[in-house]
Amino acid sequence: MASEGEIIAVGHWHPPRSSRTVAARLLSHGRTLSVRLDGVAGDPVSVNDVDAVRISARVGRIPRRIGFGDGSLFETEDNDAVDAWLSARRLHRGGLVHELERFHPRLLGLVVAVFLLAGAIYRYALPALVEVAVLVTPPAVADMMASGTLASLDQAVFTESELPQARQGEIEAKFEEIAALSDRGADGYALHFRKGGLIGPNAFALPDGTLVITDELVELAAGDTEMILGVLAHEIGHVERDHSLRQFYRAAGTAALVMLIAGDIGSAGEEILTDGAALLTLSYSRSAESEADRISVDLMAKAGHDPAAIGRFFEIIEEKLGDGGDTTIFSTHPGTPDRRRQIDEWAAEAATKKGGQ
């Protein structure tokens, strides 16, 4: 056996251009590799210098393949034996994938690097891309998003408003007076009344200027029309600053980033990307809410209404619904006592300006 050389591993030999498999062993004699068939005397069936053979890279437990110059192939599952022989001769052919699998700190470093890159994209690149998307979005796209959202809500959640027509007309007429003072003008908005059902007391704006207010919110106001108008002016602020559109693109971009990393965004991500109704589940940032509050104060003051009316809305939420913390029943309307105090300060400023004119 000594004259045959050192046995590296046992496995199977495949003759050139043949699917036949024969039990064999891989041997080395210095830098020469050879294959001898089990139980068969005579010369090796394949012989080559180590530099002339092709040794496949190691990937987990997948069998290694050693290809010889004549087209024959030796295959073995004893990866450790092949690695040990290569290592003893300083021939590194373990493969990058296997090295990453074997050396976990490297894999951990790779994962950390990916998440750092994703974080940088989310923090810096995504906001810039969102702004570009908002600028280039044609009105037709905003119209489609809004119509799809309202249609899906009408089918799944809303029912026809039960408010008397006279009450609807009163609110709508005063709303149009306020909308006329906005950048879009009265023609840029359409007010819809719905019975909220599971959504309950709420009001929201869609990217195209569609505003929806529920019967439950009107009932919550208990006859305070000024408060209702303050809420609607707040929603005008969201439309004027394209907050809904920004939130949609931000959610879509985040879902795409998750898909890029994980390969699967899940049902929630798919809903954001494909269902306009998901706009309602997206919380505005504090800065966006503050901006809409300020616009509500300014529009109400210009129209000769109570500029602090939106503040009373949050006061009612705190008192009647027990919400004095960071969130309310409105997923898109986080309200806090600090926010109400800020509204009161703005309202006082507006009153002072009006008195000085």
Side-chain angles (χ1 to χ4, degrees):
M1 184 67 68
S3 61
E4 294 181 352
E6 172 192 356
I7 297 178
I8 299 175
V10 296
H12 294 84
W13 178 73
H14 304 274
R17 297 174 295 282
S18 173
S19 60
R20 188 164 61 95
T21 298
V22 184
R25 55 194 182 278
L26 179 68
L27 304 97
S28 71
H29 217 57
R31 293 181 59 84
T32 300
L33 291 177
S34 63
V35 175
R36 288 185 176 273
L37 304 183
D38 290 350
V40 178
D43 295 332
V45 289
S46 296
V47 179
N48 261 134
D49 184 88
V50 67
D51 293 328
V53 299
R54 303 179 305 279
I55 303 177
S56 65
R58 178 167 181 171
V59 180
R61 297 183 178 180
I62 297 176
R64 302 290 278 280
R65 291 187 166 194
I66 294 87
F68 289 83
D70 61 356
S72 63
L73 188 70
F74 178 81
E75 188 174 60
T76 179
E77 295 181 356
D78 197 349
N79 288 312
D80 291 339
V82 175
D83 286 342
W85 186 85
L86 291 171
S87 179
R89 287 154 182 77
R90 298 183 180 180
L91 302 171
H92 302 291
R93 302 190 187 183
L96 176 60
V97 173
H98 175 67
E99 287 299 311
L100 288 175
E101 291 178 339
R102 186 178 65 85
F103 190 28
H104 296 290
R106 294 184 184 178
L107 181 59
L108 179 61
L110 179 62
V111 171
V112 170
V114 169
F115 275 94
L116 287 176
L117 178 60
I121 293 173
Y122 181 82
R123 176 66 177 83
Y124 300 106
L126 185 58
L129 292 174
V130 166
E131 293 303 315
V132 172
V134 169
L135 288 174
V136 302
T137 298
V141 173
D143 292 344
M144 286 190 296
M145 291 169 61
S147 62
T149 298
L150 193 55
S152 63
L153 286 171
D154 281 341
Q155 183 177 10
V157 180
F158 290 152
T159 55
E160 286 189 28
S161 173
E162 296 178 0
L163 283 179
Q165 287 296 323
R167 181 62 169 151
Q168 290 187 32
E170 176 191 1
I171 295 172
E172 188 167 10
K174 293 182 178 180
F175 165 74
E176 289 178 354
E177 292 176 2
I178 295 172
L181 300 173
S182 69
D183 294 342
R184 284 175 170 241
D187 292 338
Y189 293 92
L191 180 61
H192 298 267
F193 295 87
R194 295 289 189 275
K195 189 170 182 60
L198 295 175
I199 289 180
N202 209 338
F204 60 87
L206 299 174
D208 70 337
T210 297
L211 269 64
V212 177
I213 186 170
T214 66
D215 294 358
E216 291 84 349
L217 190 146
V218 176
E219 293 168 6
L220 185 67
D224 188 346
T225 303
E226 290 287 284
M227 191 195 79
I228 296 171
L229 294 175
V231 171
L232 294 176
H234 170 94
E235 297 304 328
I236 287 176
H238 282 312
V239 177
E240 296 285 283
R241 296 297 183 265
D242 293 315
H243 292 158
S244 296
L245 203 56
R246 281 187 175 85
Q247 287 300 88
F248 176 81
Y249 283 129
R250 186 175 292 111
T254 301
L257 189 59
V258 171
M259 181 172 62
L260 181 64
I261 296 173
D264 183 13
I265 60 176
S267 59
E270 291 174 1
E271 182 179 333
I272 290 173
L273 290 172
T274 61
D275 187 356
L279 284 170
L280 300 183
T281 69
L282 308 179
S283 297
Y284 293 121
S285 67
R286 288 185 179 276
S287 61
E289 289 292 356
S290 180
E291 195 172 19
D293 288 344
R294 186 59 191 260
I295 290 175
S296 173
V297 170
D298 292 343
L299 284 176
M300 291 288 283
K302 288 179 182 178
H305 294 285
D306 182 3
I310 184 67
R312 290 203 304 279
F313 169 67
F314 294 114
E315 184 178 4
I316 287 178
I317 290 175
E318 292 169 21
E319 292 177 356
K320 292 189 176 181
L321 304 179
D323 181 12
D326 292 334
T327 59
T328 74
I329 59 170
F330 304 96
S331 62
T332 56
H333 296 76
T336 67
D338 287 341
R339 181 178 178 185
R340 185 159 52 86
R341 284 191 289 271
Q342 180 68 76
I343 290 170
D344 290 339
E345 291 177 7
W346 289 332
E349 291 176 8
T352 300
K353 289 180 181 179
K354 187 173 182 180
Q357 292 177 351

